[in-house]
Every structure is written in C-alpha cells, then in structure tokens.
Amino acid sequence: MSPLMQDVARVLISEEELQRRVAELGREISEDYEGLDPLLVCVLKGGYMFLADLTRHLTIRHAIDFMAVSSYGDATETSGVVRILKDLDSDISGRHVLLVEDIIDTGHTLAYLMDNLRVRQPASLNVVSLLNKPSRREVDIEIAYQGFVIPNEFVVGYGLDYAENYRNLRFVGVLKPEIYAAELERE
Ligand code: IMP
Ligand code: MG
C-alpha cells in the first residue's frame, strides 16, 4: 500500500462516483449558463482538481480565474479568519461569476468571498461546491450546485488536503484520526 493510502481509514466517494457526478454538474451548468460566457473562479488550492474535471465537461464558452485564500493553516478547524493570498486577474463587473469550491464546512470562507466579490458588481454570482458538510454550518449560504452532501468527518483527496498532503488521491477519503491526533492533543 502507498504511504498516502495507509493514512486513509476508508473511501467515502469513489473515483467513479466523483467522475459521474462532476459530468452531471458540467451538463447542468452548460445548460444554465448557455450564452452567458461565465467566469469560473476556482478557490485555490482545494478546488483545482474539481475545476479541471468540471471544465472538461462544459460545452459552453467560458473563462477561468483563480483566487487563493487561507483560513485554516495546517489545522482541521476553521480560524474564522480569511486572508486573500491571490486575487483575481480579471475584472468581474457585469460578468456571470461561478465560484468553484472544494467543500463548504462552516461557511465562513465562502461568506467572506461572496461579500468580497459582490462589491465588484458581477452580473450574477453563484457557487458550485463539490462537497457540502451542512452539519457544521455557522453561516447561511446559498449553494446553487453541489456534488455531494457528506457527514461531519475530515476528508482528503480530489484536491482536499491535510497539511498539504493527499490532494492527489483520485477519491475522497476519510483520514485516520490518529493522523491529526497530535494536533487535537495540542488544543
Ligand atoms: P469553512 O470556512 O469552514 O467553510 O471552510 C472551508 C475550507 O476549509 C475549505 O475550502 C477547505 O479548504 C477546508 N476544509 C473544510 N473541511 C475540510 C475537510 O474535511 N477536509 C479538508 N479541508 C477541509
Ligand atoms: Mg478550500
């Protein structure tokens, strides 16, 4: 077994399930945004794999851009503090913007981003999130498109990391608790 796989307790969403759902989302978004030339804004780093697969299922004209924010450091709990590490290259005023997220947990990161982008007066602003952990929500957020609703467990893979590892896994898996036990003990 590979060193990364050894740290995974179980597969939550398989590669096949992910690919099927991402293809569906691509079809849905292609229909809804036909003729609107949307700008897909990927929230780095976690959203990179989802964006890459999602856009390959889009049949419409669209552009992509990236934003990087930090909210967690290496911890598994939100700090509530969001910092913009990289801003958009493009001007979004009058554009149809679709934010591409890996996961919505407490909602703090997304709430901050939405407020920040809304000020720039896009024609519309929606969210597509691969994963949704509603049991942890602290801020109310409207999610136009979501891949999967998941239980309250810390997951890695398909872009999602723990301390910058595991992003390359082709599935979404639950990390063994002993991997972050040391961090829990420090709290
Ligand atoms: P929120 O602000 O609590 O909604 O956190 C959003 C961000 O926290 C996500 O974009 C992820 O980067 C990270 N995050 C939340 N839950 C998980 C998880 O289960 N695994 C990996 N990263 C997570
Ligand atoms: Mg993220």
Side-chain angles (χ1 to χ4, degrees), residues 72 101-103 105-109 133 153-155 160-161:
Y72 271 46
E101 261 283 17
D102 52 354
I103 186 168
D105 189 32
T106 64
H108 284 296
T109 309
K133 241 192 234 178
E153 287 183 285
F154 194 81
V155 293
L160 291 117
D161 74 308

Side-chain angles (χ1 to χ4, degrees), residues 98-99 101 104 110 114 125-129 142-145:
L98 185 57
L99 260 176
E101 261 283 17
I104 303 171
L110 201 59
M114 301 276 282
L125 180 61
N126 279 318
V127 178
V128 54
S129 185
E142 206 188 306
I143 311 169
Y145 309 91

Side-chain angles (χ1 to χ4, degrees), residues 4-66:
L4 295 175
M5 286 298 291
Q6 278 168 17
D7 297 349
V8 174
R10 65 174 209 280
V11 175
L12 189 65
I13 309 167
S14 70
E15 181 179 3
E16 293 71 27
E17 288 175 284
L18 283 169
Q19 291 303 326
R20 199 178 321 125
R21 186 72 188 117
V22 173
E24 270 173 19
L25 288 170
R27 278 194 292 274
E28 212 179 321
I29 291 166
S30 295
E31 276 178 26
D32 294 354
Y33 283 86
E34 170 131 49
L36 297 180
D37 192 7
L39 178 71
L40 273 71
V41 171
C42 173
V43 184
L44 294 171
K45 302 170 191 168
Y48 80 102
M49 204 170 284
F50 180 38
L51 177 86
D53 282 344
L54 182 67
T55 55
R56 280 180 285 184
H57 288 288
L58 293 183
T59 52
I60 52 166
R61 200 178 280 281
H62 68 277
I64 60 166
D65 204 341
F66 297 90

Side-chain angles (χ1 to χ4, degrees), residues 154-165:
F154 194 81
V155 293
V156 294
Y158 200 70
L160 291 117
D161 74 308
Y162 172 68
E164 295 300 329
N165 280 127

